[in-house]
Amino acid sequence: MRYIKQIKLVLITMLLLSGSVLDAQILDKSWHEITSKKEDDWFASAEAKTIADNVLLYQRDIGGWPKNIQMQKPLSEAEKQKLKALKSSSKDVTTDNGATYHEMIFLSKVYRAQPEPRYKEAFLNGLNYLLEAQYDNGGWPQFYPLKEGYYTHITYNDDSMVNILKVLKNIKDETGYFSIQPSEAVRKKVDVAFQKGIECILNTQYVQNGVLTAWCAQHDKNTLLPAKARAYELPSLSGAESANIVLLLMSIENPSTAVINSVHKAVAWFENTKITGLREDRVYNDEGKTISKIMVADENAPAIWARFMDLEDNTPFFSDRDGIKKATLAEIGEERRNGYAWYKTFPQKVLDKYPEWKEKHSSKNLKQLGNLFEVVVAKDGSGDYVSIQEAINNSKAFPYDRITITIKNGIYYEKVKVHEWNPNITLIGESKEHTIITYDDYFDKIDLGRNSTFYSQTVLIDADRTILKNLTIENSAGDVGQAVALAVNATEVAVINCNLLGHQDTLYASGKGQQYYKACYIEGTTDFIFGNATALFENCQIHSKRDSFITAASTPKEADFGYVFKDCDLTANDEVTKMYLGRPWRIYAKTVFINCNLGDHILPVGWDNWSKPEAEKTTFYAEFNNSGEGYRPNERVNWSHQLTKSEAKSYTIKTILGNPKKSSKKEWYELL
């Protein structure tokens, strides 16, 4: 019996000791090693939970984390109280050196094993932080909130932006890598943020003597050009950061032509700039610290790439804290020479992977379409194109027959233009709710002077006889001033069963032609339907999001009709109480509402002259047989009109949109 007790004691001691050894093995690792650990039973342990609690303490209310923290180190009670006091501070919150990225990965792994709601909440707060920190141009700064200095640059350094995009990609693709998934609304934001990030990567790829090359570790947030960081980090091309950027691009399942071209050009640059026959040797002291780096000739050494290469000719260079370029590593002081990674082998991973990737995508630009008049766009690669604009650009110019481009469900973050030479095109979505074309340009972002509004549109129609069906077209810039979702500068254009979403200037219905908007939802704040077209809006919902003006017509003097709304519902957000039907952008504006239901947000006076008294004599603002609390014909401004029955009879689709000349041919709108 005594021996049995002794055996039990030995076994218990061994278990306790083995546990202590395992604990020590974990605690001796770096934070990066712990977050990179494969998911196993350890993440269900009390130790993992304790570390996760530390992670929550270090997270700031804004959602992100500071950098260079060994989260696994035990915290005293005093340290915990200090961290709680820092919660509301956003100072030093960053994505640099893997901050926020590694904490989100760890929380996801712990949550899969220990699904506590607070871990999920912290992860989602981290995700919201990443979304909020993104620039309009798609890039991310090193610190957010912004920290003065080079920290505001778009930061590829130490893979900061690539790490963020990896998070977004796993979430949008629902790969299962993360145990936590956001709501559908947030996932859509993630999808758009990823697309914007890829667009930023494409836009910052450096053009050297007319040829795309690689990237700098940081790029100016305004000009997008390579930018200086610390004194020894001069504008240059970077072998290290560029490699992981290209690996990210190569991981995209169905890359666009632009992404494919970017990869091809970057790989060519890597081949051109690799250094062979040279290796780096290190001299260590007794403590194992590097005290010297020496470059040695070695014909058998693997290829290496310089950390910094000249923007003009790709010549490697080195610099000390004085910021002066040197030709060799030996020319700079020991502190920088030994304390910085001046050469990298990362691009070799790209070159190793490239042949297989190239084989998979080599025929992309040479794709032969079976039917030039029926093509499909699908983000998942199941169609003929993954980009709407690519499909349009490859369409036949001035076709005799109609070209139908079917767009599968998905969020398409791109500016789309149907060119003047692409008439007779139909863009038809799989469903209005889930086929979304979105972009976020706006007046101040465009910054091209007083006409910047007209460059801000998400979709631009310059081609006659274009048809849009079952789409959501959105300007997602927010309430930031003029920001057009859809601009139509053509005739015989039909927009059917579409959502047009935005704030100010949502729909620019212009050109001297005729346009037909049927069964559409159109929302906005100020002048959100504006321009000089003759346009019929039939069975549409016109939704106001703020007290302001619905229409701002600029109808030409000679036009018989301007904007005509028939059988439409005028609705508004609950807080909207003072909405005008319209005001004249130009003094001959014509706008008429017939058989429409007007909500109580419509002001009794109905119309405004835009501080143009002369417009009261030249505009034609009228109504007929409207209904609803907002229809108060007796209280309208005295220079507006209430149509008689005989006058209202002239407002037919034939008279508004038809050919005034007699013809046996069917009208264009009869062929929709």
Side-chain angles (χ1 to χ4, degrees), residues 177-233:
Y177 178 78
F178 291 115
S179 64
I180 301 163
Q181 279 291 320
S183 66
E184 182 63 19
V186 174
R187 199 192 67 75
K188 287 181 179 178
K189 290 181 181 179
V190 167
D191 194 326
V192 170
F194 181 81
Q195 293 181 64
K196 289 174 67 174
I198 297 302
E199 182 183 39
C200 180
I201 286 175
L202 298 179
N203 289 337
T204 50
Q205 190 170 14
Y206 187 70
V207 179
Q208 183 186 85
N209 300 319
V211 178
L212 287 171
T213 56
W215 292 264
C216 186
Q218 51 280 316
H219 287 249
D220 185 275
K221 66 184 177 69
N222 296 315
T223 66
L224 305 186
L225 293 173
K228 177 183 176 182
R230 289 174 287 191
Y232 50 89
E233 295 172 328

Side-chain angles (χ1 to χ4, degrees), residues 385-560:
Y385 300 95
V386 296
S387 160
I388 300 167
Q389 193 61 55
E390 282 186 285
I392 294 169
N393 291 346
N394 283 296
S395 294
K396 186 178 181 65
F398 303 108
Y400 291 110
D401 296 318
R402 179 160 292 278
I403 295 172
T404 298
I405 299 175
T406 299
I407 307 168
K408 295 284 189 169
N409 286 343
I411 301 173
Y412 297 84
Y413 178 77
E414 54 179 306
K415 285 176 82 77
V416 173
K417 181 178 181 180
V418 182
H419 307 281
E420 179 266 341
W421 55 86
N422 290 129
N424 295 323
I425 276 185
T426 295
L427 300 180
I428 181 167
E430 184 177 355
S431 72
K432 177 176 67 174
E433 293 76 17
H434 301 295
T435 309
I436 302 168
I437 309 172
T438 184
Y439 210 78
D440 51 7
D441 274 347
Y442 55 95
F443 188 98
D444 288 341
K445 178 181 175 182
I446 295 292
D447 196 23
L448 290 174
R450 65 186 301 165
N451 294 314
S452 295
T453 300
F454 307 109
Y455 296 90
S456 69
Q457 72 284 327
T458 298
V459 175
L460 172 61
I461 307 299
D462 276 345
D464 294 343
R465 298 179 297 284
T466 299
I467 299 173
L468 307 178
K469 283 186 178 181
N470 306 341
L471 299 167
T472 289
I473 299 172
E474 174 188 36
N475 189 307
S476 58
D479 198 358
V480 292
Q482 298 98 317
V484 178
L486 172 63
V488 181
N489 296 316
T491 190
E492 297 185 8
V493 173
V495 182
I496 301 171
N497 193 38
C498 290
N499 293 325
L500 307 181
L501 310 181
H503 288 79
Q504 183 173 349
D505 295 354
T506 303
L507 170 62
Y508 180 43
S510 200
K512 294 184 178 180
Q514 299 151 319
Q515 300 169 20
Y516 187 26
Y517 300 84
K518 183 177 181 180
C520 291
Y521 171 86
I522 308 170
E523 69 171 27
T525 55
T526 298
D527 304 335
F528 61 93
I529 300 173
F530 74 112
N532 66 356
T534 292
L536 173 61
F537 298 82
E538 192 170 59
N539 297 115
C540 293
Q541 181 180 353
I542 312 299
H543 188 78
S544 299
K545 298 165 69 175
R546 191 179 65 210
D547 291 346
S548 196
F549 310 87
I550 294 174
T551 66
S554 56
T555 318
K557 182 179 180 179
E558 65 276 10
D560 293 328

Side-chain angles (χ1 to χ4, degrees), residues 83-350:
L83 287 173
K84 289 178 181 177
L86 285 172
K87 280 288 185 182
S88 61
S89 172
S90 57
K91 183 181 179 182
D92 297 331
V93 181
T94 182
T95 56
D96 190 31
N97 288 4
T100 301
Y101 170 70
H102 287 299
E103 286 72 37
M104 291 177 68
I105 288 175
F106 184 79
L107 287 173
S108 169
K109 291 179 178 179
V110 172
Y111 182 79
R112 199 187 305 274
Q114 305 184 58
E116 293 192 22
R118 59 201 184 107
Y119 300 150
K120 179 178 181 179
E121 181 182 359
F123 178 93
L124 294 177
N125 285 342
L127 178 59
N128 287 333
Y129 170 77
L130 298 181
L131 295 174
E132 184 178 329
Q134 188 176 30
Y135 284 136
D136 286 339
N137 60 29
W140 274 270
Q142 189 176 128
F143 284 83
Y144 183 81
L146 296 179
K147 184 177 177 181
E148 290 185 7
Y150 67 83
Y151 308 104
T152 63
H153 294 326
I154 295 168
T155 304
Y156 297 122
N157 192 47
D158 293 329
D159 303 321
S160 176
M161 186 162 148
V162 168
N163 286 340
I164 294 170
L165 289 170
K166 284 180 180 178
V167 171
L168 301 185
K169 186 175 187 297
N170 276 292
I171 290 173
K172 83 176 187 67
D173 291 346
E174 300 181 274
T175 62
Y177 178 78
F178 291 115
S179 64
I180 301 163
Q181 279 291 320
S183 66
E184 182 63 19
V186 174
R187 199 192 67 75
K188 287 181 179 178
K189 290 181 181 179
V190 167
D191 194 326
V192 170
F194 181 81
Q195 293 181 64
K196 289 174 67 174
I198 297 302
E199 182 183 39
C200 180
I201 286 175
L202 298 179
N203 289 337
T204 50
Q205 190 170 14
Y206 187 70
V207 179
Q208 183 186 85
N209 300 319
V211 178
L212 287 171
T213 56
W215 292 264
C216 186
Q218 51 280 316
H219 287 249
D220 185 275
K221 66 184 177 69
N222 296 315
T223 66
L224 305 186
L225 293 173
K228 177 183 176 182
R230 289 174 287 191
Y232 50 89
E233 295 172 328
L234 302 175
S236 62
L237 294 176
S238 169
E241 279 77 15
S242 295
N244 283 324
I245 290 172
V246 176
L247 288 172
L248 173 69
L249 294 179
M250 293 172 80
S251 74
I252 297 174
E253 185 62 29
N254 297 293
S256 66
T257 301
V259 168
I260 290 172
N261 184 55
S262 174
V263 171
H264 286 319
K265 298 300 184 183
V267 168
W269 183 83
F270 285 136
E271 287 284 7
N272 185 45
T273 57
K274 68 181 177 182
I275 300 167
T276 57
L278 192 68
R279 77 168 192 270
E280 179 186 277
D281 280 356
R282 300 189 178 198
V283 179
Y284 301 94
N285 62 15
D286 293 340
E287 289 76 37
K289 181 180 178 181
T290 300
I291 58 174
S292 184
K293 289 181 181 178
I294 304 169
M295 303 309 297
V296 180
D298 180 358
E299 63 180 13
N300 296 317
I304 56 175
W305 283 261
R307 183 70 176 263
F308 303 114
M309 292 179 240
D310 189 84
L311 292 171
E312 299 302 319
D313 59 11
N314 303 318
T315 301
F317 69 83
F318 312 86
S319 56
D320 217 323
R321 294 188 184 276
D322 58 8
I324 299 173
K325 288 184 179 181
K326 301 294 174 60
T328 65
L329 186 58
E331 294 177 66
I332 64 174
E334 286 187 2
E335 185 267 335
R336 279 297 82 201
R337 182 169 73 245
N338 301 331
Y340 200 70
W342 294 98
Y343 291 98
K344 291 285 188 177
T345 60
F346 294 165
Q348 188 60 51
K349 295 180 181 178
V350 175

Side-chain angles (χ1 to χ4, degrees), residues 36-55:
S36 301
K37 176 179 167 62
K38 288 185 178 180
E39 294 189 42
D40 57 22
D41 292 342
W42 178 82
F43 286 98
S45 70
E47 183 180 34
K49 179 182 176 66
T50 299
I51 297 174
D53 290 345
N54 287 354
V55 172

